[in-house]
Amino acid sequence: MSEQPLPRPGEQSLTRDDEQSLPGPGSVCWRLLGQRRMLLVTGRALVLEAALPAGGAALARHSTYRTRPLRRLEITLESLQRLTYGDPETRAREFARIRRVHRHINGTDEKGRPYDGLDDASRTWITLTLFDAMVAMERLGGRPLSRADEAQLYAEWRPIVLSFGIDASAVPQDLTACHTYFASMVGETLEDNPEVRHLLGAVYASVPAPPWLGWCPAPVWKAVRAVAATVMSSVLRADLPDAYRRRIGLPLRRRDRVLSWLVHRTARWGLAAQPVRRRFLPLATAALEGRPVESRPVRRRGPVARQRPAGRTEEVGRFFDDVLDQTGDGFITREDLQAMVRSVCWPLDLSDRAEQRVYDAFDLWWPGLSTLDTDGDGRVSRSEFVVGTLTAPDETAQSVQPGLLKAMEAVFDAADSDHDGYVDRAEYCRIFGPKLHPADARRGFDELDSDSDGRITKAEFLDALVQFFAVRGDTEAAVRLFGRD
């Protein structure tokens, strides 16, 4: 079955970033990275990332993939498409955005080993797992790249790696060096850890229904999810490099091989004759058709209804699970608040100083929130939060309130892009609604605009969001930005 040829935009040409040629129309990278089949190999890349020494701890403490796997996947794929298919300005903004995010990812794991989101060695490995994913996608689909095409793909991908600001000496020079480096990492450096094991199975079993399936009855979604989890866990097990699978003692079953073969081949055959818009992700499709690479609002069947828990205790507990525990480990820590900051800052092109102000403000919230930590372990458990919220004396509530106000003021200031002291509808949609159904966006703005004058004041904003975090109110904006979606 032959695939339809890709369109070639007439006006777009190869760009330069830091004097390195980035891939453009007609490149191998453009032909591969934006394909929908990349969804099938992102799990392989994420497992190899988590397998870095201390990488599992970094993923567990700073990523929201456990609680919002679909959102994290969507953000990752959108970011990769901007880096690959965007114009020079779009690419520059995305590289800068990613560097800002990773600047705040640092700490030590349980063994005392440090991790740093801007460490060149770690970033080199993470970016090269994406190169490996493209190569694996073609091989597993039954159409492996020729040696020449793989070498060309690496020659196109290496400038993208360097554009993150990674020192050139840390990045293999050519394909041969890359193969040597990859074999060494898989055979000698990568390790087993709880995050790897979670990614190999449990993550699929807890995926929430996507918004566009909001109409699907919960029992039906659970049944579909259980089947999909079984299939995808087997596929991922079979897709991992043999050397790494042997190192961690993960047996390869016949069922795994069969399911991997069926899934990857069926995906390639099924998409082969489809038009570009069906074979490629949206931003890649736009570039291949010569249109601007811009995010488009998601069109749902209608507004997504939210269910409220029956009792106050249940309501507070679910708020902990769906909003505060961003990393899904059962505790609130400073890292969970940082994950909220990333939700705020990701859709905005803030300066380093402006973004740092948001991080600093959320850091001021943590000392007050940590007063709920009754056992002194440096984190707030679910039970501590529920009990503290329901029975907290006035002095405890007063200690939490100032930091929360500072954090929400910082969110307002970030949304108020023209600094006029108000958030209008355009500013609201920029931070709260880039992926909302129009009806949801209208409802969210109207909920915050309590006097219906067409703009949100800081007082209106703070009142609504402080009530939200005190688990005494609910708004569309807060739900969409911080969780429970």
Side-chain angles (χ1 to χ4, degrees), residues 418-433:
D418 60 6
H419 311 295
D420 66 349
Y422 302 95
V423 171
D424 59 28
R425 286 187 184 273
E427 290 170 328
Y428 171 86
C429 288
R430 184 168 172 241
I431 185 172
F432 292 106

Side-chain angles (χ1 to χ4, degrees), residues 103-172:
R103 184 179 63 196
H104 298 279
I105 297 177
N106 50 71
T108 56
D109 70 359
E110 292 76 7
K111 298 179 182 179
R113 298 176 298 184
Y115 59 84
D116 186 337
L118 294 180
D119 172 62
D120 278 356
S122 298
R123 289 194 294 169
T124 297
W125 173 248
I126 292 168
T127 52
L128 290 186
T129 62
L130 296 169
F131 164 76
D132 166 75
M134 288 185 278
V135 175
M137 177 182 73
E138 293 299 273
R139 184 183 71 254
L140 294 166
R143 189 184 52 189
L145 293 174
S146 67
R147 176 77 180 191
D149 279 349
E150 188 178 350
Q152 178 61 34
L153 176 62
Y154 185 76
E156 295 165 358
W157 189 251
R158 189 172 188 269
I160 292 180
V161 177
L162 296 178
S163 294
F164 284 102
I166 301 172
D167 190 277
S169 64
V171 185

Side-chain angles (χ1 to χ4, degrees), residues 10-24:
E11 300 298 325
Q12 198 165 359
S13 60
L14 289 174
T15 63
R16 290 268 173 184
D17 191 320
D18 297 331
E19 299 184 353
Q20 295 286 340
S21 292
L22 296 178

